[in-house]
Amino acid sequence: MNATPEFDPRRIRRLRRYTWWSIVPMQPLYALAPLLLLVAGASEGRYSTVEVVLLGLAAVLAAVDGTWMSLSLMQGLGHGKHRPALHAVVFAGALGAMAYTMHKDGSGPLWSMVVSGLAGVHVSAAPYRLRWPLAIGMTLLVAVVGTVASSPAEPLLGLVRGLVIALVVAVIMVVVLASVWFWDIVLELDRARTVSAELAVANERLRFAADLHDVQGHHLQVIALKGELVERLVGVDDETARATAAEIAELARTALRDTRDVVHGYRHTELTAELENAREILEAAGVRTTVDGGAALVPPPLQPLFGALVREGTTNVLRHSRAERCELRITADGPNTSIVLRNDRPKPPNGEAGSGIEGLRQRFRALGGHVEGCLVDGWFELRGTAAEPGRTS
């Protein structure tokens, strides 16, 4: 059997560091080479002061804008801080610097790295519906600008160079997009894991509340019933009163033990014991009880479920009726098993059940079964049906 690997938060942190180093520092690095080349060109007299200032400003703005966008992308695809006008101006400046330097001294390909970095973060930050149109549009624009800038007089001569530059831009854009896309998937999985953990806690709380309601409600109802019996027997039949009082004490101890078991999650309902317990308690309360069928008809995986139904149904009979007769019928048809517990003289007469029925419904629903509680010919019927897990016939 393959063991399920345990989740290690350090993997998420390592992947975050990898993604951060893959996209954030790259933006200043893309601008570094053109700046160094610009300084070298200025020292050799190829660039004037105005050219150095304007080209340097274009490179710095591109690095700042690209870094800003990259940091936002650590929240996932489409999470960039959108300033369309500002981004368009910075991208146009970088593209213009590339075109100018290609025409000036042929150093434009280095500036295409600055354009590539900006294109990558802009496409990754764009909404899904605009992502691919923006990527294709940027690539075509770079190809046209690169072609014309390489050979303004005869653009066809610069076509190859323009296409190569466009290819470089497209490749870097795809690399950035793939890195952010992969990180975005990990973020979604991590969010799903967090939600799943929260749901598991909520389900466990519901299970605990349902079990506690079953245990406390059932035992306290029986203790109250026997207490009333002791009250009537004192002075009339002291021996029976003492025996009943002893039963109350034992029931109280059982309630404490069951409550501890619920707290520790160790409590398992035995259907045979629940059937016997239900018959004994109902008979003690003066309710004639008949049981049709036995616990052996119920598949073992379903016995705790139906045991809870018998316990809840018994509590309802004691608490919500003045029943004189109670019938419990167990039937099995292939994988489907049902138990019907019905009693006469429901109270109130409209047949409304106690709140514990809702908890019972949730338990059955979790296994694909269902529970009904309704009035039939003046009798209240509690019916639970479920199929054995994994069995089809």
Side-chain angles (χ1 to χ4, degrees):
M1 180 181 295
N2 295 327
T4 302
E6 293 184 1
F7 173 75
D8 186 356
R10 290 176 299 180
R11 296 178 181 176
I12 298 289
R13 290 196 291 270
R14 283 198 291 266
L15 186 59
R16 179 182 179 82
R17 285 197 295 270
Y18 168 78
T19 306
W20 192 90
W21 283 104
S22 298
I23 61 173
V24 177
M26 298 305 293
Q27 305 302 320
L29 285 177
Y30 289 147
L32 183 60
L35 283 173
L36 292 177
L37 196 63
L38 185 62
V39 172
S43 64
E44 295 171 359
R46 286 186 286 114
Y47 290 103
S48 66
T49 302
V50 174
E51 289 173 324
V52 170
V53 170
L54 292 179
L55 291 173
L57 183 61
V60 171
L61 287 177
V64 172
D65 188 54
T67 304
W68 185 32
M69 295 284 289
S70 302
L71 289 171
S72 299
L73 288 173
M74 293 308 295
Q75 299 176 30
L77 280 175
H79 283 82
K81 296 176 180 176
H82 302 289
R83 302 285 189 277
L86 177 62
H87 299 323
V89 169
V90 173
F91 184 79
L95 195 61
M98 183 193 79
Y100 184 80
T101 52
M102 288 183 72
H103 179 67
K104 176 83 176 180
D105 61 356
S107 62
L110 278 177
W111 283 88
S112 69
M113 301 299 291
V114 179
V115 175
S116 302
L118 285 177
V121 294
H122 287 169
V123 168
S124 300
Y128 177 76
R129 68 180 187 283
L130 299 178
R131 199 164 295 150
W132 288 111
L134 187 61
I136 295 172
M138 283 183 168
T139 304
L140 291 176
L141 179 61
V142 169
V144 171
V145 171
T147 299
V148 174
S150 297
S151 180
E154 297 184 45
L156 288 178
L157 295 178
L159 181 60
V160 174
R161 199 174 186 188
L163 291 177
V164 171
I165 292 173
L167 179 63
V168 171
V169 171
V171 169
I172 293 178
M173 190 163 48
V174 170
V175 169
V176 174
L177 182 62
S179 297
V180 181
W181 171 74
F182 184 71
W183 173 240
D184 187 67
I185 291 177
V186 173
L187 286 177
E188 287 296 326
L189 292 175
D190 191 47
R191 293 188 193 107
R193 182 190 61 79
T194 303
V195 172
S196 178
E198 291 174 351
L199 285 176
V201 171
N203 286 333
E204 179 59 18
R205 286 175 177 169
L206 287 175
R207 184 200 67 77
F208 177 82
D211 283 352
L212 198 59
H213 172 274
D214 289 349
V215 170
Q216 297 290 2
H218 179 74
H219 286 302
L220 289 176
Q221 186 67 29
V222 176
I223 288 172
L225 178 69
K226 288 185 176 291
E228 293 173 1
L229 180 60
V230 170
E231 190 178 19
R232 291 198 299 269
L233 290 174
V234 171
V236 179
D237 185 350
D238 290 344
E239 186 64 28
T240 304
R242 279 193 292 273
T244 306
E247 292 177 4
I248 292 174
E250 179 59 29
L251 279 171
R253 285 191 289 271
T254 302
L256 287 172
R257 187 170 57 251
D258 286 352
T259 301
R260 284 194 293 268
D261 288 346
V262 167
V263 172
H264 290 90
Y266 296 146
R267 189 169 185 270
H268 299 285
T269 304
E270 296 291 343
L271 182 58
T272 302
E274 291 295 340
L275 290 174
E276 186 60 33
N277 188 43
R279 186 206 300 268
E280 181 181 334
I281 291 172
L282 291 173
E283 292 286 354
V287 182
R288 284 180 293 146
T289 305
T290 58
V291 177
D292 182 11
L297 293 175
V298 181
L302 296 178
Q303 292 213 3
L305 187 67
F306 283 103
L309 183 140
V310 171
R311 187 172 58 244
E312 179 62 31
T314 304
T315 303
N316 275 339
V317 172
L318 298 173
R319 186 179 295 172
H320 301 294
S321 79
R322 296 187 180 88
E324 294 178 348
R325 294 176 57 195
C326 181
E327 298 173 357
L328 197 153
R329 185 171 67 252
I330 303 173
T331 57
D333 182 13
N336 297 313
T337 303
S338 67
I339 288 185
V340 180
L341 193 151
R342 59 197 302 264
N343 62 273
D344 63 353
R345 304 181 67 188
K347 183 186 68 172
N350 60 7
E352 292 180 356
S355 59
I357 298 293
E358 185 53 36
L360 206 57
R361 285 198 180 100
Q362 292 176 6
R363 289 188 180 189
F364 273 72
R365 198 178 299 134
L367 291 177
H370 65 276
V371 172
E372 297 177 31
C374 58
L375 200 63
V376 179
D377 298 331
W379 288 54
F380 180 79
E381 284 192 1
L382 178 64
R383 178 189 298 272
T385 304
E388 182 179 359
R391 183 180 171 187
T392 57
S393 61

